Amino acid sequence: MKSKKIAARLVAVSALALSLASCATGPIPSASTPITPAEAQQGAEYHPQLLSQFGGAMDGRHADYVEQVGKNIAVQSGLAGARDSFTVSLLNSPVNNAFAVPGGYIYTTRQLVTLMNNEAELAAVLGHEVGHVAARHSQRRQRNAQRNSILGVLGAIGSSILLGDTGLADTVSRGFLQGSQLLTLSYSRSQETQADELGIQYLTSAGYDPRAMGTVLASLAAQNNLDARLQGRENATAPEWASTHPNSAERVRTALAKAEGLGGSVTNRDTFLTRIDGLLYADDPEQGVIEGSRFIHPELMLTFTAPQGFYMVNSTRAVAINGQSGQAQLSLAPYNGDLSSYVRQQFAALGGEQQQLAPQSLERTTVNGLPAAFGQARVNNGQQQVDVTVFAYEFSNDRAYHFAAITPAGRANTFGSMFQSMRRISQSEAAQVIPRRIDVVTVQRGDTVASLARRMAYDNGQIDRFRVLNALGPNEDLRVGQQVKLVVRGR
């Protein structure tokens, strides 16, 4: 979660969702049709808002490499002037995500890049996104969305990773759906299949191993399953890229089958690993970091602890806390020095235009020396009664943060321990927050999966993390001279 004000961003998100729903009403061009001036203008309008939602575009050698591979694969699309027409951005985001918008704007997060194991896989992901642009998939989804209201548009975009699948989403909880996925429309199964096929074609034309589409999807599925186990989730909620790009075992098999017998064998594994060495992994301390059940932000100087059995997802604008018995989100909004008014404003924002929402009770308190206020309301979502809680804290005369939480009726205290855990941190605590980075090492004689995994900068799941990160099967061994990735601490 960044320290910038959030309210303006939420306005921008809603405006963008509306603009996505109202554009591109003509026939779908063929995949060989060049990017039109109207599409280029449309993408240019979305671009800065997408960068804001995903932590901004990275620069330097890692970003240059991603841009180079992306533009090289875009040339294979047959779009006239593809190299100059496409903008390829490496995003400073700790989620596994990649997407595209009309006008040739292609994005991948640094986290998804760290999961890859060769250049062909990077080209596969970017080629898939180029395929969406070339086939004008966004335009078709936008035309469908145009038939709906703004709430219908948001619902069509896809289930949010911030909410998970608990059946609690309703008019009130739509306020929780203001994350990054509001900026990218989901695609149909046939569109995803076509983008996979186009990406495989581009890989083959460029001389890459076309099986890379299937292997990178398999790595993403393995990471998702590992995350679910480590976070104690009963069901593996899809990561963001898989939420907008459904990732099933069937899809992996299909991609591998489509690649069978095609030419192309280049993977550039060692080149890729050398070029991503040192890339930031997981949370950026400037956005706050998750350490087990604790969130700590060295710039905002705050920390809190999630309840047992809940897991957190950090983004540039909020921290989501998810579990089977409720969801919550920490964010900030403009503050004028009146906490009671601040809480009422957050209830109104959650209700939106469709439902007038106000706290049925509102109390003032102090939490670890911080002035605080909280309010609760019970809402019927059409299926069941749910409790909505807003718990706010004053950090200065012009800065406040708040949790917004939703639970089944009568279980509002689910997040009680978390509400009471919010506190300021000291300068020494802030200085101890050191980022994780990718460290590419060469396997030496005597190295084993276990010995290298012990160097991973995690207290749990070291071997499983190491195997998934390097796409190693459960019984696969290392060989001397092989390059592998570690996650280590370092600035």
Side-chain angles (χ1 to χ4, degrees), residues 311-377:
Y311 68 96
M312 290 183 281
V313 178
N314 187 24
S315 72
T316 56
R317 53 159 293 277
V319 184
I321 305 94
N322 305 308
Q324 293 298 312
S325 56
Q327 301 85 42
Q329 180 173 287
L330 176 74
S331 58
L332 75 163
Y335 180 56
N336 63 4
D338 184 342
L339 269 179
S340 297
S341 174
Y342 181 88
V343 169
R344 292 190 182 93
Q345 289 169 4
Q346 306 322 308
F347 270 96
L350 286 172
E353 297 179 358
Q354 302 298 312
Q355 181 169 344
Q356 298 295 320
L357 186 62
Q360 293 159 355
S361 63
L362 201 158
E363 298 182 34
R364 297 293 297 264
T365 186
T366 301
V367 175
N368 297 316
L370 294 169
F374 63 94
Q376 292 182 342

Side-chain angles (χ1 to χ4, degrees), residues 70 97 123 151 162 187 200 244 262 275 317 320 328 332 428 436-437:
N97 207 351
L151 289 181
L162 300 184
Y187 298 109
I200 290 170
T244 53
L262 297 179
R275 297 295 292 270
R317 53 159 293 277
L332 75 163
S428 61
R436 294 179 172 94
R437 296 189 181 275

